[in-house]
Amino acid sequence: MEQKKNNPFVGYEYKEVTVPSDQASLYMDCYENFGWEPDENIMITSRNSSATLRMKRDRKIINKMELTRLQRHFEACAKEIDELERSKTTAGSIWAMVVGIIGTAFMAGSVFAITNDPPIYWLSVLLAVPAFIGWITPYFIFRRKVEIQTKKVQPIIEAKQDEIYEICEKGHSLL
C-alpha cells in the first residue's frame, strides 16, 4: 500500500515512428524534447535500413498543444531533409540510365549491322564505339551530378538541421 502512495498513477499516450536506422538516435533525442520517452516495455526494432521507435508521454503534460505543434514542425523539417538527401542521387541516376540506354541502342545497331547478310563490318565498328562509351560514362556522369547536387542542397540541409535544433530547444523549454 505504501508503494502506491509514492508512485502516483500516470496515464500515457503512445507513439510509434519508423525512421532511417542511421538516424534513430537523433530522432529519439528530438522526440524527448517534446515530452516523449522511450517505452521500456517495448524495445526499438530494426529492419534493413529503418528502425521503429516506440515512445510514451504523459497524457496530462503541460503545454501539450504547443509541444504537438512543435513536434509536427520538427517532423516536417525531418521529412524535407530526407527528401533533400534523396535528391542528391536522383538526377545523377536518371542521367546515367539515359546514357546507358543510348549506349545499349548503339550496341543493338552494331549487332544488327554485323548479323546483316552480308555483314557490314565498318558500320558495326562505327556503332560499337559510341556503344562502349555509352556503357562506360554513366558512372562518371552519376558521380559528377551527385557532386553538383550535393553542393547545391547541402546548405539547405544544414539550415533545416539548425531549424530542427531551434524547434527542439523551444520544446525543451516548455517541458
Side-chain angles (χ1 to χ4, degrees):
M1 196 65 140
E2 192 174 314
Q3 189 177 24
K4 283 193 173 187
K5 290 180 182 177
N6 292 339
N7 288 337
F9 174 77
V10 177
Y12 291 105
E13 59 181 322
Y14 297 90
K15 184 170 187 67
E16 187 174 297
V17 182
T18 302
V19 299
S21 58
D22 61 334
Q23 297 178 352
S25 59
L26 170 72
Y27 275 83
M28 196 65 235
D29 290 342
C30 289
Y31 275 111
E32 285 178 2
N33 291 305
F34 308 117
W36 295 100
E37 58 189 57
D39 187 354
E40 63 275 349
N41 298 321
I42 302 174
M43 299 304 292
I44 295 174
T45 56
S46 208
R47 276 188 233 126
N48 296 334
S49 61
S50 64
T52 302
L53 306 176
R54 291 178 177 87
M55 302 168 285
K56 64 183 181 179
R57 168 168 84 176
D58 186 352
R59 292 179 82 69
K60 296 180 181 177
I61 194 168
I62 301 171
N63 299 318
K64 185 176 179 179
M65 288 182 63
E66 181 63 17
L67 287 170
T68 302
R69 186 189 70 74
L70 289 170
Q71 176 185 321
R72 286 190 183 127
H73 191 176
F74 155 71
E75 290 168 345
C77 288
K79 185 177 179 181
E80 287 179 43
I81 289 174
D82 188 41
E83 289 170 1
L84 287 167
E85 288 289 343
R86 278 195 310 254
S87 77
K88 288 180 182 179
T89 57
T90 303
S93 297
I94 291 170
W95 276 98
M97 283 189 255
V98 167
V99 170
I101 289 170
I102 291 170
T104 302
F106 274 103
M107 185 55 73
S110 176
V111 169
F112 288 138
I114 202 73
T115 58
N116 189 32
D117 193 25
I120 308 171
Y121 295 109
W122 67 269
L123 183 59
S124 178
V125 171
L126 186 68
L127 293 174
V129 171
F132 285 121
I133 291 171
W135 284 353
I136 294 170
T137 58
Y139 171 74
F140 300 105
I141 290 171
F142 175 79
R143 285 190 49 194
R144 181 69 181 140
K145 290 289 183 182
V146 168
E147 183 181 306
I148 291 168
Q149 187 67 12
T150 299
K151 285 180 183 175
K152 194 184 298 182
V153 299
Q154 196 60 39
I156 301 168
I157 290 172
E158 289 173 7
K160 283 292 172 189
Q161 287 172 337
D162 290 341
E163 187 176 344
I164 284 175
Y165 294 134
E166 289 173 15
I167 294 166
C168 289
E169 191 175 353
K170 288 177 187 176
H172 185 75
S173 68
L174 290 173
L175 291 176

mmCIF file of all heavy atoms in Angstrom, residues 98-129:
data_model
loop_
_atom_site.group_PDB
_atom_site.id
_atom_site.type_symbol
_atom_site.label_atom_id
_atom_site.label_comp_id
_atom_site.label_asym_id
_atom_site.label_seq_id
_atom_site.Cartn_x
_atom_site.Cartn_y
_atom_site.Cartn_z
ATOM 1 N N VAL A 98 19.841 7.125 -68.763
ATOM 2 C CA VAL A 98 19.567 7.567 -70.134
ATOM 3 C C VAL A 98 20.786 7.329 -71.029
ATOM 4 O O VAL A 98 20.666 6.786 -72.137
ATOM 5 C CB VAL A 98 19.130 9.052 -70.158
ATOM 6 C CG1 VAL A 98 19.159 9.616 -71.564
ATOM 7 C CG2 VAL A 98 17.751 9.206 -69.545
ATOM 8 N N VAL A 99 21.965 7.699 -70.548
ATOM 9 C CA VAL A 99 23.184 7.499 -71.339
ATOM 10 C C VAL A 99 23.440 6.007 -71.540
ATOM 11 O O VAL A 99 23.829 5.566 -72.629
ATOM 12 C CB VAL A 99 24.388 8.207 -70.677
ATOM 13 C CG1 VAL A 99 25.696 7.816 -71.339
ATOM 14 C CG2 VAL A 99 24.203 9.717 -70.720
ATOM 15 N N GLY A 100 23.203 5.203 -70.516
ATOM 16 C CA GLY A 100 23.374 3.755 -70.644
ATOM 17 C C GLY A 100 22.413 3.146 -71.654
ATOM 18 O O GLY A 100 22.795 2.255 -72.434
ATOM 19 N N ILE A 101 21.188 3.608 -71.667
ATOM 20 C CA ILE A 101 20.204 3.102 -72.634
ATOM 21 C C ILE A 101 20.585 3.506 -74.053
ATOM 22 O O ILE A 101 20.469 2.708 -74.995
ATOM 23 C CB ILE A 101 18.787 3.588 -72.253
ATOM 24 C CG1 ILE A 101 18.327 2.866 -70.988
ATOM 25 C CG2 ILE A 101 17.804 3.361 -73.390
ATOM 26 C CD1 ILE A 101 17.057 3.428 -70.372
ATOM 27 N N ILE A 102 21.058 4.728 -74.220
ATOM 28 C CA ILE A 102 21.507 5.172 -75.544
ATOM 29 C C ILE A 102 22.689 4.323 -76.008
ATOM 30 O O ILE A 102 22.754 3.895 -77.167
ATOM 31 C CB ILE A 102 21.855 6.681 -75.535
ATOM 32 C CG1 ILE A 102 20.568 7.504 -75.354
ATOM 33 C CG2 ILE A 102 22.587 7.084 -76.816
ATOM 34 C CD1 ILE A 102 20.809 8.973 -75.091
ATOM 35 N N GLY A 103 23.622 4.037 -75.092
ATOM 36 C CA GLY A 103 24.750 3.160 -75.433
ATOM 37 C C GLY A 103 24.277 1.776 -75.834
ATOM 38 O O GLY A 103 24.810 1.173 -76.779
ATOM 39 N N THR A 104 23.264 1.274 -75.146
ATOM 40 C CA THR A 104 22.708 -0.038 -75.482
ATOM 41 C C THR A 104 22.052 -0.018 -76.863
ATOM 42 O O THR A 104 22.166 -0.988 -77.630
ATOM 43 C CB THR A 104 21.695 -0.472 -74.405
ATOM 44 O OG1 THR A 104 22.363 -0.498 -73.136
ATOM 45 C CG2 THR A 104 21.125 -1.840 -74.695
ATOM 46 N N ALA A 105 21.393 1.077 -77.197
ATOM 47 C CA ALA A 105 20.774 1.202 -78.523
ATOM 48 C C ALA A 105 21.852 1.178 -79.623
ATOM 49 O O ALA A 105 21.673 0.531 -80.664
ATOM 50 C CB ALA A 105 19.955 2.486 -78.609
ATOM 51 N N PHE A 106 22.962 1.853 -79.375
ATOM 52 C CA PHE A 106 24.064 1.817 -80.345
ATOM 53 C C PHE A 106 24.620 0.403 -80.475
ATOM 54 O O PHE A 106 24.960 -0.050 -81.574
ATOM 55 C CB PHE A 106 25.185 2.797 -79.952
ATOM 56 C CG PHE A 106 24.967 4.190 -80.450
ATOM 57 C CD1 PHE A 106 24.521 5.192 -79.590
ATOM 58 C CD2 PHE A 106 25.221 4.517 -81.773
ATOM 59 C CE1 PHE A 106 24.317 6.482 -80.049
ATOM 60 C CE2 PHE A 106 25.028 5.809 -82.241
ATOM 61 C CZ PHE A 106 24.567 6.796 -81.378
ATOM 62 N N MET A 107 24.718 -0.318 -79.338
ATOM 63 C CA MET A 107 25.225 -1.686 -79.389
ATOM 64 C C MET A 107 24.260 -2.584 -80.167
ATOM 65 O O MET A 107 24.692 -3.461 -80.925
ATOM 66 C CB MET A 107 25.441 -2.234 -77.980
ATOM 67 C CG MET A 107 26.082 -3.619 -77.977
ATOM 68 S SD MET A 107 27.647 -3.740 -78.892
ATOM 69 C CE MET A 107 28.760 -2.884 -77.817
ATOM 70 N N ALA A 108 22.965 -2.364 -80.014
ATOM 71 C CA ALA A 108 21.982 -3.142 -80.776
ATOM 72 C C ALA A 108 22.161 -2.875 -82.268
ATOM 73 O O ALA A 108 22.123 -3.807 -83.091
ATOM 74 C CB ALA A 108 20.568 -2.790 -80.331
ATOM 75 N N GLY A 109 22.377 -1.625 -82.631
ATOM 76 C CA GLY A 109 22.631 -1.289 -84.028
ATOM 77 C C GLY A 109 23.886 -1.960 -84.540
ATOM 78 O O GLY A 109 23.930 -2.454 -85.682
ATOM 79 N N SER A 110 24.909 -2.022 -83.689
ATOM 80 C CA SER A 110 26.160 -2.679 -84.068
ATOM 81 C C SER A 110 25.942 -4.167 -84.303
ATOM 82 O O SER A 110 26.463 -4.738 -85.274
ATOM 83 C CB SER A 110 27.207 -2.464 -82.978
ATOM 84 O OG SER A 110 28.382 -3.168 -83.269
ATOM 85 N N VAL A 111 25.170 -4.805 -83.451
ATOM 86 C CA VAL A 111 24.879 -6.233 -83.607
ATOM 87 C C VAL A 111 24.070 -6.473 -84.872
ATOM 88 O O VAL A 111 24.325 -7.423 -85.613
ATOM 89 C CB VAL A 111 24.148 -6.770 -82.351
ATOM 90 C CG1 VAL A 111 23.603 -8.173 -82.592
ATOM 91 C CG2 VAL A 111 25.068 -6.755 -81.148
ATOM 92 N N PHE A 112 23.081 -5.635 -85.123
ATOM 93 C CA PHE A 112 22.280 -5.799 -86.343
ATOM 94 C C PHE A 112 23.141 -5.619 -87.588
ATOM 95 O O PHE A 112 22.944 -6.298 -88.597
ATOM 96 C CB PHE A 112 21.096 -4.832 -86.359
ATOM 97 C CG PHE A 112 20.005 -5.185 -85.387
ATOM 98 C CD1 PHE A 112 19.389 -4.207 -84.632
ATOM 99 C CD2 PHE A 112 19.584 -6.498 -85.217
ATOM 100 C CE1 PHE A 112 18.383 -4.522 -83.731
ATOM 101 C CE2 PHE A 112 18.581 -6.837 -84.330
ATOM 102 C CZ PHE A 112 17.974 -5.844 -83.575
ATOM 103 N N ALA A 113 24.104 -4.713 -87.533
ATOM 104 C CA ALA A 113 24.978 -4.485 -88.691
ATOM 105 C C ALA A 113 25.862 -5.697 -88.942
ATOM 106 O O ALA A 113 26.115 -6.056 -90.105
ATOM 107 C CB ALA A 113 25.831 -3.242 -88.481
ATOM 108 N N ILE A 114 26.336 -6.342 -87.894
ATOM 109 C CA ILE A 114 27.238 -7.487 -88.074
ATOM 110 C C ILE A 114 26.461 -8.745 -88.462
ATOM 111 O O ILE A 114 26.997 -9.641 -89.117
ATOM 112 C CB ILE A 114 28.101 -7.723 -86.808
ATOM 113 C CG1 ILE A 114 29.381 -8.504 -87.139
ATOM 114 C CG2 ILE A 114 27.375 -8.470 -85.758
ATOM 115 C CD1 ILE A 114 30.380 -7.707 -87.856
ATOM 116 N N THR A 115 25.192 -8.834 -88.050
ATOM 117 C CA THR A 115 24.388 -10.021 -88.388
ATOM 118 C C THR A 115 23.655 -9.861 -89.722
ATOM 119 O O THR A 115 22.935 -10.767 -90.138
ATOM 120 C CB THR A 115 23.374 -10.338 -87.275
ATOM 121 O OG1 THR A 115 22.526 -9.214 -87.068
ATOM 122 C CG2 THR A 115 24.075 -10.722 -85.992
ATOM 123 N N ASN A 116 23.811 -8.728 -90.349
ATOM 124 C CA ASN A 116 23.202 -8.488 -91.662
ATOM 125 C C ASN A 116 23.816 -9.445 -92.684
ATOM 126 O O ASN A 116 24.944 -9.902 -92.535
ATOM 127 C CB ASN A 116 23.427 -7.026 -92.061
ATOM 128 C CG ASN A 116 22.647 -6.631 -93.289
ATOM 129 O OD1 ASN A 116 21.551 -7.137 -93.523
ATOM 130 N ND2 ASN A 116 23.211 -5.732 -94.070
ATOM 131 N N ASP A 117 23.085 -9.734 -93.739
ATOM 132 C CA ASP A 117 23.624 -10.591 -94.782
ATOM 133 C C ASP A 117 23.828 -9.751 -96.039
ATOM 134 O O ASP A 117 22.836 -9.346 -96.659
ATOM 135 C CB ASP A 117 22.661 -11.752 -95.056
ATOM 136 C CG ASP A 117 23.301 -12.832 -95.897
ATOM 137 O OD1 ASP A 117 24.548 -12.930 -95.865
ATOM 138 O OD2 ASP A 117 22.541 -13.569 -96.558
ATOM 139 N N PRO A 118 24.957 -9.405 -96.481
ATOM 140 C CA PRO A 118 26.273 -9.660 -95.924
ATOM 141 C C PRO A 118 26.570 -8.709 -94.759
ATOM 142 O O PRO A 118 26.021 -7.611 -94.677
ATOM 143 C CB PRO A 118 27.213 -9.369 -97.099
ATOM 144 C CG PRO A 118 26.504 -8.325 -97.877
ATOM 145 C CD PRO A 118 25.033 -8.636 -97.729
ATOM 146 N N PRO A 119 27.474 -9.105 -93.809
ATOM 147 C CA PRO A 119 27.805 -8.258 -92.653
ATOM 148 C C PRO A 119 28.419 -6.926 -93.077
ATOM 149 O O PRO A 119 29.209 -6.867 -94.012
ATOM 150 C CB PRO A 119 28.826 -9.078 -91.867
ATOM 151 C CG PRO A 119 28.719 -10.470 -92.385
ATOM 152 C CD PRO A 119 28.176 -10.383 -93.783
ATOM 153 N N ILE A 120 28.022 -5.864 -92.361
ATOM 154 C CA ILE A 120 28.574 -4.531 -92.631
ATOM 155 C C ILE A 120 29.531 -4.212 -91.479
ATOM 156 O O ILE A 120 29.139 -3.645 -90.461
ATOM 157 C CB ILE A 120 27.452 -3.477 -92.746
ATOM 158 C CG1 ILE A 120 26.382 -3.935 -93.743
ATOM 159 C CG2 ILE A 120 28.034 -2.125 -93.131
ATOM 160 C CD1 ILE A 120 25.147 -3.057 -93.753
ATOM 161 N N TYR A 121 30.800 -4.616 -91.649
ATOM 162 C CA TYR A 121 31.782 -4.504 -90.570
ATOM 163 C C TYR A 121 32.047 -3.053 -90.179
ATOM 164 O O TYR A 121 32.146 -2.739 -88.996
ATOM 165 C CB TYR A 121 33.092 -5.194 -90.969
ATOM 166 C CG TYR A 121 32.941 -6.683 -91.135
ATOM 167 C CD1 TYR A 121 32.992 -7.266 -92.399
ATOM 168 C CD2 TYR A 121 32.749 -7.492 -90.034
ATOM 169 C CE1 TYR A 121 32.853 -8.632 -92.558
ATOM 170 C CE2 TYR A 121 32.603 -8.869 -90.176
ATOM 171 C CZ TYR A 121 32.648 -9.426 -91.437
ATOM 172 O OH TYR A 121 32.497 -10.775 -91.594
ATOM 173 N N TRP A 122 32.224 -2.206 -91.179
ATOM 174 C CA TRP A 122 32.556 -0.808 -90.874
ATOM 175 C C TRP A 122 31.449 -0.145 -90.063
ATOM 176 O O TRP A 122 31.712 0.626 -89.146
ATOM 177 C CB TRP A 122 32.863 -0.025 -92.155
ATOM 178 C CG TRP A 122 31.667 0.160 -93.053
ATOM 179 C CD1 TRP A 122 31.274 -0.659 -94.067
ATOM 180 C CD2 TRP A 122 30.703 1.203 -92.990
ATOM 181 N NE1 TRP A 122 30.124 -0.192 -94.649
ATOM 182 C CE2 TRP A 122 29.755 0.959 -94.001
ATOM 183 C CE3 TRP A 122 30.546 2.337 -92.196
ATOM 184 C CZ2 TRP A 122 28.663 1.789 -94.225
ATOM 185 C CZ3 TRP A 122 29.467 3.159 -92.431
ATOM 186 C CH2 TRP A 122 28.527 2.885 -93.437
ATOM 187 N N LEU A 123 30.164 -0.445 -90.348
ATOM 188 C CA LEU A 123 29.052 0.137 -89.597
ATOM 189 C C LEU A 123 28.985 -0.447 -88.185
ATOM 190 O O LEU A 123 28.715 0.270 -87.215
ATOM 191 C CB LEU A 123 27.720 -0.095 -90.331
ATOM 192 C CG LEU A 123 26.476 0.526 -89.686
ATOM 193 C CD1 LEU A 123 26.643 2.042 -89.570
ATOM 194 C CD2 LEU A 123 25.232 0.171 -90.485
ATOM 195 N N SER A 124 29.293 -1.746 -88.086
ATOM 196 C CA SER A 124 29.298 -2.388 -86.771
ATOM 197 C C SER A 124 30.346 -1.747 -85.856
ATOM 198 O O SER A 124 30.058 -1.442 -84.691
ATOM 199 C CB SER A 124 29.582 -3.885 -86.926
ATOM 200 O OG SER A 124 29.629 -4.485 -85.655
ATOM 201 N N VAL A 125 31.548 -1.523 -86.382
ATOM 202 C CA VAL A 125 32.611 -0.890 -85.592
ATOM 203 C C VAL A 125 32.240 0.556 -85.280
ATOM 204 O O VAL A 125 32.423 1.034 -84.151
ATOM 205 C CB VAL A 125 33.956 -0.973 -86.333
ATOM 206 C CG1 VAL A 125 35.015 -0.131 -85.637
ATOM 207 C CG2 VAL A 125 34.403 -2.426 -86.452
ATOM 208 N N LEU A 126 31.687 1.250 -86.266
ATOM 209 C CA LEU A 126 31.299 2.646 -86.080
ATOM 210 C C LEU A 126 30.240 2.784 -84.969
ATOM 211 O O LEU A 126 30.305 3.718 -84.166
ATOM 212 C CB LEU A 126 30.766 3.213 -87.396
ATOM 213 C CG LEU A 126 30.447 4.707 -87.419
ATOM 214 C CD1 LEU A 126 31.741 5.510 -87.309
ATOM 215 C CD2 LEU A 126 29.711 5.073 -88.687
ATOM 216 N N LEU A 127 29.295 1.866 -84.908
ATOM 217 C CA LEU A 127 28.258 1.927 -83.876
ATOM 218 C C LEU A 127 28.735 1.379 -82.521
ATOM 219 O O LEU A 127 28.206 1.757 -81.474
ATOM 220 C CB LEU A 127 27.013 1.159 -84.333
ATOM 221 C CG LEU A 127 26.255 1.760 -85.515
ATOM 222 C CD1 LEU A 127 25.144 0.823 -85.963
ATOM 223 C CD2 LEU A 127 25.698 3.120 -85.163
ATOM 224 N N ALA A 128 29.731 0.504 -82.533
ATOM 225 C CA ALA A 128 30.228 -0.080 -81.285
ATOM 226 C C ALA A 128 30.987 0.941 -80.442
ATOM 227 O O ALA A 128 30.942 0.882 -79.205
ATOM 228 C CB ALA A 128 31.107 -1.283 -81.577
ATOM 229 N N VAL A 129 31.666 1.879 -81.083
ATOM 230 C CA VAL A 129 32.449 2.881 -80.332
ATOM 231 C C VAL A 129 31.548 3.718 -79.417
ATOM 232 O O VAL A 129 31.785 3.796 -78.200
ATOM 233 C CB VAL A 129 33.290 3.752 -81.290
ATOM 234 C CG1 VAL A 129 33.922 4.907 -80.546
ATOM 235 C CG2 VAL A 129 34.342 2.906 -81.982
#
